[in-house]
Amino acid sequence: MTSQTEYGHRTGRGLDVLALVSLILIACSLRPAASSLGPVLSEVQSAYTLVEWQTGLLTALPGLIFAICGFIAVPVLKKIGLFSSLVMTCVLIAVGVGARVLVDNWVSFAGLTVVALAGMSIGNVILPVYVKTRFPDRASLGATAFTVSLGLGAMFPAFLTAPITGHFDNWRVGLGIWALVPVCALVTWIILKLARSVPNLDQPEQDTHQAGPPRQHIFTSPKARYMAMFFGLQSANACVQFGWLPQIYRDAGIDPVLAGLMLTVVTLGGIPGGFLAPQIIMRNILPRFFLVTFSVSAVCGYLGLLLIPTTVPVLWAILLGYGGFAFPAALALITGRTKDVSITARTSAFVQSSGYVLAAIGPLAVGGLLGLSGGWSVPLWFMVCVAALMGVTGYLAATPGTVDEELETSAPRGGASGTCGGTTGLRGGMPGQK
């Protein structure tokens, strides 16, 4: 039995399952273009005869493109609507991932990687809006499916690209096969649209005699600023760990294979974190306490690496892995601390784009401090400070209240009442669905 919601989409048991599958597939598409490259980076270097700066640029592209393109996601959503925006996301990823393995020069490979990353960046921002509108009564289910799928979309390409490459003796197959994920996501998304089960964010006609309060920039909300700092600091932690953790272990005297395994232990923490952290945020289960524990765990992990890295190396990896629960928690805060759909979209864009700018500084700072100091003591003390600040900003971001309420408080008085941006209702200024 089906019914229709205020966003005009049909719901029912079968349609809800299909909507969840579509969410999972789209979310799984948002990481393979980045996480599949590392395992075959040496093959790509050889194929295109890359020098160091070219290789460095390829590895730096995800954070850079996520920061830049995240700002255009909301304008794209407003211009073409939810359905077309996520179609664009899937198409860009599929084309970028699939076509880059067919070209024979580095410039084209890098350009098509940018195309895929641009699609991923737009999807990063827009999917929380889909979660908010398609699963309004099951927010924790939608948030959990989103964050767990992001983790799976990063983990499986990282684990399987090298074996696939070895099996076919062709790195192009190992990279290109991940284009199938966004293709499958696109198929389910179109089927969902044909079944009229995609939320329609049309804004109803408003009374032109009423004037809502002036539109407030998300930056004016202290909670949004803390969320952006928390997102950026936890992303800086993740980027440093992905880029430097094996080397930290190796420089301490640990076998290279075991050093790589320690990073695997850290990344595996993303799966239980994807299940648990959204539940903590969406169900309001002592969120400030848990966010602080993520920070404390990361601090202890870095201190262990600093003081006794070879004594119980797996313990430091486990502690850093638990600290990584901050990532799904940061994403869940976007939907858990906003109410109006337009505020969710704008907060998502602001938090992720500005957060990735902050995140990009982390690996660069660690590399610079390593070069200046000649050892890991100074960089690791720096990361202890970063992890501690993550706890402070997480505590402040998870305080009771919403971004919507803070924007309403900061809006100049006068005019008709309503939500931020001069709109009323949950549609909050979203455009007509295309």
Side-chain angles (χ1 to χ4, degrees):
M1 183 175 181
T2 63
S3 60
Q4 188 165 310
T5 72
E6 61 179 307
Y7 290 102
H9 61 276
R10 299 169 63 212
T11 63
R13 186 180 299 273
L15 292 175
D16 290 347
V17 170
L18 180 61
L20 190 63
V21 170
S22 185
L23 168 63
I24 290 170
L25 287 173
I26 296 175
C28 283
S29 304
L30 302 183
R31 291 298 180 267
S35 63
S36 63
L37 182 59
V40 293
L41 189 58
S42 61
E43 286 85 351
V44 174
Q45 284 179 293
S46 300
Y48 297 117
T49 319
L50 303 183
V51 296
E52 289 184 357
W53 74 265
Q54 292 172 313
T55 305
L57 179 60
L58 281 179
T59 59
L61 278 175
L64 180 64
I65 301 302
F66 281 6
I68 294 172
C69 292
F71 285 112
I72 71 171
V74 172
V76 167
L77 177 61
K78 290 183 176 181
K79 182 69 175 178
I80 65 176
L82 178 62
F83 173 73
S84 297
S85 295
L86 290 180
V87 166
M88 175 188 295
T89 289
C90 295
V91 170
L92 289 176
I93 298 172
V95 170
V97 172
R100 71 178 178 176
V101 301
L102 304 177
V103 299
D104 57 4
N105 64 85
W106 175 78
V107 174
S108 298
F109 183 90
L112 287 164
T113 299
V114 168
V115 169
L117 293 172
M120 290 160 55
S121 178
I122 293 171
N124 282 336
V125 174
I126 292 178
L127 265 190
V129 177
Y130 174 58
V131 171
K132 189 81 172 179
T133 54
R134 187 57 181 78
F135 305 96
D137 299 323
R138 289 182 250 180
S140 61
L141 171 64
T144 300
F146 176 36
T147 55
V148 170
S149 300
L150 284 176
L152 293 173
M155 185 183 71
F156 280 116
F159 285 164
L160 297 178
T161 298
I164 293 172
T165 296
H167 179 75
F168 289 96
D169 195 25
N170 191 327
W171 66 267
R172 296 179 187 272
V173 176
L175 280 184
I177 197 169
W178 300 108
L180 294 176
V181 181
V183 169
C184 292
L186 181 61
V187 171
T188 60
W189 186 239
I190 292 174
I191 293 173
L192 197 67
K193 176 64 174 178
L194 294 175
R196 292 182 294 157
S197 195
V198 174
N200 187 327
L201 304 183
D202 284 344
Q203 180 185 350
E205 292 294 326
Q206 298 185 23
D207 187 347
T208 57
H209 297 292
Q210 291 184 335
R215 179 186 177 95
Q216 299 296 299
H217 194 283
I218 291 295
F219 183 80
T220 61
S221 163
K223 188 177 294 294
R225 294 198 298 270
Y226 291 132
M227 288 165 63
M229 287 186 282
F230 177 61
F231 187 92
L233 291 167
Q234 65 81 23
S235 294
N237 270 294
C239 291
V240 167
Q241 290 163 18
F242 289 149
W244 291 108
L245 188 63
Q247 192 62 47
I248 294 172
Y249 275 115
R250 292 182 66 176
D251 289 347
I254 289 179
D255 176 81
V257 174
L258 181 59
L261 182 61
M262 293 302 99
L263 179 58
T264 301
V265 171
V266 173
T267 58
L268 285 175
I271 304 304
F275 279 105
L276 298 175
Q279 302 295 323
I280 290 167
I281 300 300
M282 304 306 293
R283 298 180 184 275
N284 211 32
I285 305 171
L286 300 175
R288 287 177 287 180
F289 167 79
F290 278 104
L291 293 188
V292 170
T293 66
F294 302 157
S295 171
V296 170
S297 182
V299 167
C300 292
Y302 287 124
L303 288 175
L305 290 174
L306 177 66
L307 301 175
I308 44 174
T310 60
T311 304
V312 276
V314 71
L315 176 60
W316 316 136
I318 291 171
L319 288 171
L320 292 175
Y322 180 71
F325 283 26
F327 173 64
L331 291 177
L333 279 172
I334 295 173
T335 51
R337 291 297 185 267
T338 58
K339 293 188 294 186
D340 188 286
V341 173
S342 72
I343 303 301
T344 301
R346 291 165 54 203
T347 301
S348 181
F350 171 71
V351 167
Q352 295 195 53
S353 297
S354 55
Y356 278 120
V357 171
L358 181 59
I361 299 173
L364 295 176
V366 167
L369 291 172
L370 178 63
L372 290 173
S373 65
W376 283 109
S377 293
V378 174
L380 285 172
W381 277 118
F382 171 75
M383 292 311 300
V384 167
C385 295
V386 169
L389 286 173
M390 181 180 77
V392 174
T393 55
Y395 182 91
L396 294 170
T399 54
T402 64
V403 173
D404 310 56
E405 293 165 351
E406 291 184 343
L407 293 179
E408 288 175 348
T409 300
S410 64
R413 299 298 178 184
S417 61
T419 58
C420 303
T423 63
T424 59
L426 284 174
R427 292 169 175 81
M430 283 295 156
Q433 183 80 13
K434 302 296 182 185

